[in-house]
């Protein structure tokens, strides 16, 4: 059970934060199909800077400090990368899907090109001395809960206070704060207006171009952060120009969650659980009786991998009439158009 | 040094030609007559080609710039030097003619039959995936599902080609069954987003992406070495260790070479390239010379007008996606029926690049079916040059993927390039970097107005 919940969180957190990234872009009127590309880029930048800090002589004792700095750097670079999409689709009024596809092609190519030159192999590791991401992991003794095998807080203690990364906390806090900003503040209302009816927004004195820039850049920051979380938690702090299609899955989560942060959090949990089952189904023990229930079922393990995508298709088929997609997404804003 | 001279010669010839054109055009303008060049320039297709060339040149220049920047950034254990950057640039432009290095360690160039043949071989699937994307574009759809259609077709082609016993059925018929089986499955994979778009009004990009990943996982499931139903088709020999499916030659099925291997000795080229070109011409005829093709294009340019004219836009959308899927399927069939290509079945984490590269092929060709032949050959030329870069310098082949991505990025605003070429927007760095592009248009109008006034005064 503990394994199941922790593994679900491993996939759920990046899915959630990257889906929110998609929401910020689309609610401002820009289709951000480049989420996957930005995630790949973010994962690379994160691992690269961790590697640089470790090579500069920072040790495990300043692990959490390095993590925070790297997260901030990753977000800045992600924002810069998203500027490419913003410039093409806002100023040059290019087709947003093609622009996003270009970034999706560019990111893995650029990342693999640099990785091969930097490390002479297909994978970028953090460092030869510290081979895994355990460096940044917090164990129960870090929380003052002793070193005994039995956690004093029981199952909850094991889930929340053992073998956890602080990035999870950052991500959840960021998610809540940004969701409130998007849904409850004046700024958020302005941003959403630009995605629903930019002409009306403009007539009220909102700078549509500026709002769309902000939306896309925030989207880039979050997607890059999500990519780094994936690299840190699921890939053991390595980067190989690939995030296993998580960016596209995040798009599915966003649609499934109807562009609404609360529903997206729930959708991310569901998809995270499915992803977790597909990856780790032989090790999942739901009720702690030592029987791995899923291995007993006559279901092909690949079915679990297909399920998230299949569910999205079915949901799309049934909810297309009620879909709350931003009305002006994908359309370049042209002042002269009425 | 020969490579440098050859490169300089190319530059001089191009520069000379362009200056000749400009000078003759200016002279003709003064004498109030038109040259052949000005007449052709008026055509829209010429401007499309010119704007594609602009994206290509920008992409190549940025690629070269990256090679230089990598030299300047110091990294640990880096083997890069100024010489490798210069070699790299030569190879990006003319790696296909590279025949190795001479005793002094500098690159030598000449006719390399292996490279040119391989270029044609790699272009075969690209032509078809490019066509797939282009046909969808013509109907106003963005077929980003080509990788999924390609994969689905790959698995079915391989299963059919390997499991029909050639002792019973003649290999040629097996080839034909496998080829059309692949096309059919590709079409099936393409028709799903088409139906979703036509009947349920769901954006085809999203459904295509979902279909891609379903396909990637399904293919892995079919060939899984432990539980897959077709695990007996995996190659168990030592180094392969069940990671690849057998080549189709294992069952005696392969595309005939038809003497092409005599022209390009030692390369993988085969009859497939000719089939691909024929399909491209067929699609061109269907799109431009038949009522059906006209209907497809009408739906693409204005759906409401097409509906008003009595065209069933829903059928158009579905059929167009089916054709697009079938073309992507044909790409996979031709590539894997060649008999010298292996398929790594564990695809669930990444999609084939050939499918995505259909997008730059279609964009560079401005969605013209015959144009895709040339742009596909160009993209595969870049691929071959990239492999040369990998073998001859400390760089790697991913630089060509970077260049391709940059070309796609610039193709996204080919409209802007066309406007520049039409003289509607003048290249002015100040204007381009202004935040509000509305202002640029206004200033341009003002500028042109003042220019007009000046002329009147004169």
């Amino acid at each position: 059970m503990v394994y199941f919940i922790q593994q679900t969180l491993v996939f759920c957190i990046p899915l959630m934060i990257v889906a929110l990234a998609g929401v910020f872009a689309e609610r401002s009127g820009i289709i951000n199909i480049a989420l996957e590309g930005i995630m790949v880029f973010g994962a690379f930048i994160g691992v690269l800077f961790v590697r640089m800090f470790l090579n500069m002589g920072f040790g495990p004792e300043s692990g959490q400090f390095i993590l925070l700095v790297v997260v901030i750097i990753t977000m800045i670079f992600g924002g810069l990368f998203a500027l490419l999409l913003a410039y093409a689709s806002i100023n040059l009024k290019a087709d947003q899907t093609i622009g996003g596809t270009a970034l999706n092609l560019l990111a893995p190519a650029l990342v693999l090109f640099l990785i091969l030159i930097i490390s002479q192999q297909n994978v970028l590791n953090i460092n030869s001395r510290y081979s895994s991401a355990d460096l940044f992991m917090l164990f129960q003794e870090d929380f003052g809960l002793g070193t005994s095998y039995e956690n004093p807080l029981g199952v909850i203690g094991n889930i929340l206070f053992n073998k956890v990364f602080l990035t999870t906390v950052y991500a959840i806090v960021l998610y809540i704060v940004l969701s409130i900003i998007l849904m409850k503040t004046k700024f958020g209302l302005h941003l959403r207006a630009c995605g629903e009816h930019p002409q009306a927004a403009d007539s009220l004195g909102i700078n549509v171009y500026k709002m769309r820039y902000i939306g896309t850049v925030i989207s880039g920051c979050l997607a890059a952060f999500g990519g780094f979380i994936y690299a840190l938690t699921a890939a053991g702090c390595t980067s190989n120009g690939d995030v296993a299609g998580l960016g596209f899955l995040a798009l599915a989560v966003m649609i499934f969650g109807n562009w609404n942060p609360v529903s997206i959090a729930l959708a991310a949990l569901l998809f995270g659980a499915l992803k977790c089952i597909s990856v780790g189904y032989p090790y999942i023990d739901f009720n702690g009786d030592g029987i791995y229930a899923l291995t007993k079922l006559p279901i092909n393990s690949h079915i679990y991998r297909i399920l998230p995508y299949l569910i999205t298709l079915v949901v799309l088929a049934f909810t297309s009439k009620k879909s709350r997609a931003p009305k002006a997404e994908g359309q370049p804003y042209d002042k002269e158009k009425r | 040094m020969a490579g440098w001279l050859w490169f300089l010669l190319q530059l001089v010839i191009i520069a000379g030609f362009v200056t000749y054109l400009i000078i003759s055009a200016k002279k003709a303008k003064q004498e109030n007559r038109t040259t052949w060049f000005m007449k052709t320039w008026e055509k829209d297709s010429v401007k499309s080609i010119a704007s594609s060339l602009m994206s290509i040149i920008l992409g190549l220049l940025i690629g070269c710039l990256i090679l230089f920047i990598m030299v300047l950034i110091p990294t640990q254990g880096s083997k890069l030097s100024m010489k490798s950057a210069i070699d790299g640039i030569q190879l990006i432009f003319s790696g296909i003619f590279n025949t190795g290095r001479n005793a002094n360690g500098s690159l030598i160039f000449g006719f390399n039959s292996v490279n040119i043949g391989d270029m044609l071989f790699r272009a075969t699937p690209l032509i078809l995936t490019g066509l797939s994307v282009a046909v969808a574009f013509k109907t106003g759809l963005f077929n980003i599902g080509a990788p999924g259609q390609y994969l689905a077709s790959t698995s079915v082609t391989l299963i059919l080609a390997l499991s029909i016993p050639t002792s019973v059925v003649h290999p040629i018929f097996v080839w034909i069954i496998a080829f059309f089986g692949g096309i059919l499955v590709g079409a099936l994979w393409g028709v799903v987003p088409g139906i979703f778009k036509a009947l349920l009004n769901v954006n085809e990009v999203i459904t295509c992406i979902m279909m891609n990943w379903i396909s990637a996982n399904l293919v892995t499931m079919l060939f899984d070495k432990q539980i897959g139903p077709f695990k007996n088709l995996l190659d168990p020999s030592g180094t392969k260790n069940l990671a690849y499916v057998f080549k189709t030659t294992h069952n005696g099925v392969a595309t005939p070479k038809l003497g092409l291997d005599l022209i390009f000795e030692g390369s993988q080229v085969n009859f497939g390239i000719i089939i691909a070109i024929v399909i491209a011409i067929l699609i061109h005829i269907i799109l431009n010379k038949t009522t059906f093709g006209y209907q497809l294009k009408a739906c693409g340019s204005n759906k409401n007008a097409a509906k008003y004219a009595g065209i069933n836009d829903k059928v158009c959308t579905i059929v167009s996606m089916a054709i697009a899927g079938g073309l992507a399927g044909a790409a996979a069939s031709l590539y894997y029926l060649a008999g010298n290509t292996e398929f790594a079945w564990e695809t669930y984490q990444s999609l084939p690049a050939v499918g995505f590269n259909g997008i730059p092929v279609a964009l560079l060709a401005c969605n013209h079916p015959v144009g895709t032949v040339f742009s596909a050959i160009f993209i595969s030329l870049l691929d071959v040059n990239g492999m040369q870069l990998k073998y001859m310098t400390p760089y790697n082949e991913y630089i060509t993927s970077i260049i391709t991505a940059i070309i796609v990025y610039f193709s996204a605003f080919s409209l802007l390039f066309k406007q520049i070429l039409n003289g509607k927007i003048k290249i002015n760095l100040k204007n381009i970097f202004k935040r509000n592009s509305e202002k640029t248009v206004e200033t341009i109008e003002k500028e042109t107005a003042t220019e007009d006034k000046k002329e009147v005064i004169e």
Side-chain angles (χ1 to χ4, degrees), chain B residues 140-187:
Chain B
L141 301 162
F142 185 46
N143 181 20
I144 200 172
Q149 294 145 14
Y150 183 89
L151 268 179
S153 162
T154 303
S155 61
V156 170
T157 303
L158 285 173
I159 289 169
L160 286 176
L162 288 172
S163 48
I164 299 175
T166 37
S167 51
V168 183
V169 188
H170 193 275
I172 288 180
F173 292 113
V174 176
W175 192 95
I176 291 170
I177 292 169
F179 181 60
F180 284 101
I183 291 178
L184 217 63
V185 171

Coordinates of all heavy atoms in Angstrom, one line a residue, chain B residues 140-187:
Chain B
G140 N -7.5 20.8 -44.1 CA -7.5 21.7 -42.9 C -7.4 20.9 -41.7 O -7.8 21.3 -40.6
L141 N -6.7 19.7 -41.7 CA -6.5 18.9 -40.5 C -5.0 18.8 -40.3 O -4.2 18.8 -41.2 CB -7.1 17.5 -40.7 CG -8.6 17.4 -41.0 CD1 -8.9 16.1 -41.5 CD2 -9.3 17.7 -39.7
F142 N -4.6 18.7 -39.0 CA -3.2 18.5 -38.7 C -3.0 17.1 -38.3 O -3.4 16.7 -37.2 CB -2.8 19.5 -37.6 CG -1.3 19.5 -37.3 CD1 -0.4 19.5 -38.3 CD2 -0.9 19.5 -36.0 CE1 1.0 19.5 -38.0 CE2 0.4 19.5 -35.7 CZ 1.4 19.5 -36.7
N143 N -2.4 16.3 -39.1 CA -2.2 14.9 -38.8 C -0.9 14.7 -38.0 O 0.2 14.3 -38.6 CB -2.2 14.0 -40.1 CG -2.0 12.6 -39.8 OD1 -2.2 12.1 -38.7 ND2 -1.6 11.8 -40.8
I144 N -0.9 14.8 -36.7 CA 0.3 14.6 -35.9 C 0.3 13.1 -35.5 O 1.1 12.6 -34.8 CB 0.3 15.5 -34.7 CG1 1.7 15.6 -34.1 CG2 -0.7 15.1 -33.6 CD1 1.8 16.7 -33.0
G145 N -0.7 12.3 -36.0 CA -0.8 10.9 -35.7 C 0.0 10.0 -36.6 O -0.1 8.8 -36.5
A146 N 0.8 10.6 -37.5 CA 1.6 9.8 -38.4 C 2.5 8.8 -37.7 O 2.5 7.6 -38.2 CB 2.4 10.7 -39.4
P147 N 3.1 9.1 -36.6 CA 3.9 8.1 -35.9 C 3.1 6.9 -35.5 O 3.6 5.7 -35.6 CB 4.5 8.8 -34.7 CG 4.4 10.2 -35.0 CD 3.2 10.4 -35.9
G148 N 1.9 7.1 -34.9 CA 1.1 6.0 -34.5 C 0.6 5.1 -35.7 O 0.7 3.9 -35.6
Q149 N 0.2 5.8 -36.7 CA -0.2 5.1 -37.9 C 0.9 4.2 -38.5 O 0.8 3.1 -38.9 CB -0.8 6.0 -39.0 CG -2.0 6.7 -38.6 CD -2.1 8.2 -39.0 OE1 -1.3 8.6 -39.9 NE2 -3.0 8.9 -38.5
Y150 N 2.1 4.9 -38.5 CA 3.3 4.2 -38.9 C 3.6 3.0 -38.1 O 3.9 1.9 -38.7 CB 4.5 5.2 -38.9 CG 5.8 4.8 -39.4 CD1 6.1 5.0 -40.7 CD2 6.8 4.2 -38.5 CE1 7.4 4.6 -41.2 CE2 8.0 3.8 -39.0 CZ 8.3 4.0 -40.3 OH 9.5 3.6 -40.8
L151 N 3.5 3.1 -36.8 CA 3.9 1.9 -35.9 C 2.8 0.8 -36.1 O 3.2 -0.3 -36.2 CB 3.8 2.4 -34.5 CG 5.2 2.8 -33.9 CD1 5.0 3.3 -32.4 CD2 6.2 1.7 -33.9
A152 N 1.6 1.2 -36.1 CA 0.5 0.2 -36.3 C 0.8 -0.6 -37.6 O 0.7 -1.9 -37.6 CB -0.8 0.8 -36.3
S153 N 1.0 0.1 -38.6 CA 1.3 -0.5 -39.9 C 2.5 -1.4 -39.9 O 2.6 -2.5 -40.4 CB 1.4 0.6 -41.0 OG 2.0 0.0 -42.1
T154 N 3.6 -0.9 -39.2 CA 4.8 -1.7 -39.1 C 4.5 -3.1 -38.5 O 5.0 -4.1 -39.1 CB 5.8 -1.0 -38.1 OG1 6.0 0.3 -38.6 CG2 7.1 -1.7 -38.0
S155 N 3.8 -3.1 -37.4 CA 3.5 -4.4 -36.7 C 2.8 -5.3 -37.7 O 3.1 -6.5 -37.8 CB 2.8 -4.2 -35.4 OG 1.6 -3.6 -35.6
V156 N 1.7 -4.8 -38.3 CA 0.9 -5.7 -39.1 C 1.7 -6.1 -40.4 O 1.6 -7.3 -40.7 CB -0.4 -4.9 -39.5 CG1 -1.2 -5.7 -40.6 CG2 -1.3 -4.8 -38.3
T157 N 2.4 -5.2 -41.0 CA 3.2 -5.6 -42.1 C 4.2 -6.7 -41.8 O 4.3 -7.7 -42.5 CB 4.1 -4.4 -42.6 OG1 3.2 -3.3 -42.9 CG2 4.9 -4.7 -43.8
L158 N 4.9 -6.5 -40.6 CA 5.9 -7.6 -40.2 C 5.2 -8.9 -39.9 O 5.7 -9.9 -40.3 CB 6.7 -7.1 -39.0 CG 7.7 -6.0 -39.4 CD1 8.3 -5.5 -38.1 CD2 8.8 -6.6 -40.3
I159 N 4.0 -8.8 -39.2 CA 3.3 -10.1 -38.9 C 2.9 -10.8 -40.1 O 3.1 -12.0 -40.3 CB 2.1 -9.8 -38.0 CG1 2.6 -9.3 -36.6 CG2 1.2 -11.0 -37.8 CD1 1.5 -8.8 -35.7
L160 N 2.3 -10.0 -41.1 CA 1.9 -10.7 -42.3 C 3.0 -11.2 -43.1 O 3.0 -12.4 -43.6 CB 1.1 -9.7 -43.2 CG -0.3 -9.4 -42.7 CD1 -1.0 -8.3 -43.5 CD2 -1.2 -10.6 -42.7
A161 N 4.1 -10.4 -43.3 CA 5.2 -10.8 -44.1 C 6.0 -12.0 -43.5 O 6.5 -12.8 -44.3 CB 6.2 -9.6 -44.3
L162 N 6.0 -12.1 -42.2 CA 6.7 -13.2 -41.6 C 5.9 -14.4 -41.3 O 6.5 -15.5 -41.2 CB 7.4 -12.7 -40.3 CG 8.5 -11.7 -40.4 CD1 8.9 -11.1 -39.1 CD2 9.7 -12.4 -41.0
S163 N 4.6 -14.3 -41.2 CA 3.9 -15.5 -40.7 C 3.1 -16.2 -41.9 O 2.7 -17.4 -41.7 CB 2.9 -15.2 -39.6 OG 2.2 -14.1 -39.9
I164 N 3.0 -15.6 -43.1 CA 2.4 -16.3 -44.2 C 3.5 -17.2 -44.8 O 4.6 -16.7 -45.2 CB 1.9 -15.4 -45.2 CG1 0.8 -14.5 -44.7 CG2 1.3 -16.2 -46.4 CD1 0.2 -13.5 -45.6
P165 N 3.4 -18.5 -44.8 CA 4.5 -19.3 -45.3 C 4.7 -19.1 -46.8 O 3.8 -19.2 -47.6 CB 4.0 -20.8 -45.0 CG 2.5 -20.6 -44.9 CD 2.2 -19.3 -44.4
T166 N 6.0 -18.9 -47.1 CA 6.3 -18.6 -48.5 C 6.4 -19.9 -49.3 O 6.4 -19.9 -50.5 CB 7.6 -17.9 -48.7 OG1 8.5 -18.4 -47.7 CG2 7.5 -16.4 -48.6
S167 N 6.3 -21.0 -48.6 CA 6.3 -22.3 -49.3 C 4.9 -22.5 -50.0 O 4.8 -23.3 -51.0 CB 6.7 -23.5 -48.4 OG 5.9 -23.4 -47.3
V168 N 3.9 -21.9 -49.4 CA 2.5 -22.1 -49.9 C 2.2 -20.9 -50.9 O 1.7 -21.1 -52.0 CB 1.5 -22.1 -48.7 CG1 0.1 -22.4 -49.3 CG2 1.9 -23.2 -47.7
V169 N 2.5 -19.7 -50.4 CA 2.1 -18.5 -51.2 C 3.4 -18.0 -51.8 O 4.4 -17.9 -51.1 CB 1.5 -17.5 -50.3 CG1 0.9 -16.3 -51.1 CG2 0.3 -18.1 -49.5
H170 N 3.4 -17.5 -53.0 CA 4.5 -17.0 -53.7 C 5.0 -15.7 -52.9 O 4.1 -14.9 -52.5 CB 4.2 -16.7 -55.1 CG 5.5 -16.4 -55.9 ND1 6.0 -15.1 -56.0 CD2 6.2 -17.2 -56.7 CE1 7.1 -15.2 -56.7 NE2 7.3 -16.4 -57.2
P171 N 6.3 -15.5 -52.7 CA 6.7 -14.3 -51.9 C 6.2 -13.0 -52.5 O 5.9 -12.1 -51.7 CB 8.3 -14.4 -52.1 CG 8.6 -15.8 -52.4 CD 7.4 -16.4 -53.0
I172 N 6.0 -12.9 -53.8 CA 5.5 -11.6 -54.3 C 4.1 -11.3 -53.8 O 3.8 -10.2 -53.4 CB 5.5 -11.7 -55.9 CG1 6.9 -11.6 -56.4 CG2 4.7 -10.5 -56.5 CD1 7.0 -11.7 -57.9
F173 N 3.3 -12.4 -53.7 CA 1.9 -12.2 -53.2 C 2.0 -11.9 -51.7 O 1.2 -11.0 -51.2 CB 1.0 -13.4 -53.4 CG 0.7 -13.6 -54.9 CD1 1.2 -14.7 -55.6 CD2 0.0 -12.6 -55.6 CE1 1.0 -14.8 -56.9 CE2 -0.3 -12.8 -56.9 CZ 0.2 -13.9 -57.6
V174 N 2.9 -12.5 -51.0 CA 3.0 -12.2 -49.6 C 3.4 -10.7 -49.4 O 2.8 -10.0 -48.6 CB 4.1 -13.1 -48.9 CG1 4.3 -12.7 -47.5 CG2 3.7 -14.5 -49.0
W175 N 4.3 -10.3 -50.3 CA 4.7 -8.8 -50.2 C 3.5 -8.0 -50.4 O 3.3 -7.0 -49.7 CB 5.7 -8.6 -51.4 CG 6.4 -7.3 -51.3 CD1 7.6 -7.0 -50.7 CD2 6.0 -6.0 -51.7 NE1 8.0 -5.7 -50.8 CE2 6.9 -5.1 -51.4 CE3 4.8 -5.6 -52.4 CZ2 6.8 -3.7 -51.7 CZ3 4.7 -4.2 -52.7 CH2 5.7 -3.3 -52.4
I176 N 2.7 -8.3 -51.5 CA 1.5 -7.5 -51.8 C 0.5 -7.5 -50.6 O 0.0 -6.4 -50.2 CB 0.9 -7.9 -53.1 CG1 1.8 -7.6 -54.3 CG2 -0.5 -7.2 -53.3 CD1 1.4 -8.2 -55.6
I177 N 0.3 -8.7 -50.0 CA -0.7 -8.8 -48.9 C -0.2 -7.9 -47.7 O -0.9 -7.1 -47.1 CB -0.8 -10.2 -48.5 CG1 -1.6 -11.0 -49.6 CG2 -1.6 -10.3 -47.2 CD1 -1.5 -12.5 -49.4
A178 N 1.1 -8.0 -47.5 CA 1.7 -7.3 -46.3 C 1.6 -5.8 -46.6 O 1.3 -5.0 -45.7 CB 3.1 -7.7 -46.1
F179 N 1.9 -5.4 -47.8 CA 1.9 -4.0 -48.1 C 0.5 -3.4 -47.9 O 0.3 -2.4 -47.3 CB 2.4 -3.8 -49.6 CG 2.4 -2.4 -50.1 CD1 3.2 -1.5 -49.5 CD2 1.7 -2.0 -51.2 CE1 3.3 -0.2 -49.9 CE2 1.7 -0.7 -51.6 CZ 2.5 0.2 -51.0
F180 N -0.5 -4.1 -48.5 CA -1.9 -3.5 -48.4 C -2.4 -3.7 -47.0 O -3.2 -2.9 -46.5 CB -2.8 -4.1 -49.5 CG -2.5 -3.5 -50.8 CD1 -1.8 -4.2 -51.8 CD2 -3.0 -2.3 -51.1 CE1 -1.5 -3.6 -53.0 CE2 -2.7 -1.7 -52.3 CZ -2.0 -2.4 -53.3
G181 N -2.0 -4.8 -46.3 CA -2.4 -4.9 -44.9 C -1.9 -3.8 -44.1 O -2.7 -3.2 -43.3
G182 N -0.7 -3.4 -44.3 CA -0.1 -2.2 -43.6 C -0.9 -0.9 -43.9 O -1.2 -0.2 -43.0
I183 N -1.2 -0.7 -45.2 CA -1.9 0.5 -45.6 C -3.3 0.5 -44.9 O -3.7 1.5 -44.3 CB -2.1 0.5 -47.1 CG1 -0.8 0.8 -47.8 CG2 -3.1 1.6 -47.5 CD1 -0.8 0.8 -49.2
L184 N -3.9 -0.7 -44.8 CA -5.3 -0.8 -44.3 C -5.3 -0.4 -42.8 O -6.1 0.3 -42.3 CB -5.8 -2.2 -44.5 CG -7.3 -2.3 -44.8 CD1 -7.6 -1.7 -46.1 CD2 -7.7 -3.8 -44.8
V185 N -4.3 -1.0 -42.1 CA -4.2 -0.7 -40.6 C -3.9 0.8 -40.4 O -4.5 1.4 -39.5 CB -3.2 -1.6 -40.0 CG1 -3.0 -1.2 -38.5 CG2 -3.7 -3.0 -40.0
G186 N -3.0 1.3 -41.2 CA -2.7 2.8 -41.1 C -3.9 3.6 -41.3 O -4.2 4.5 -40.5
A187 N -4.7 3.2 -42.3 CA -6.0 4.0 -42.6 C -6.9 3.8 -41.4 O -7.6 4.8 -41.0 CB -6.6 3.4 -43.8

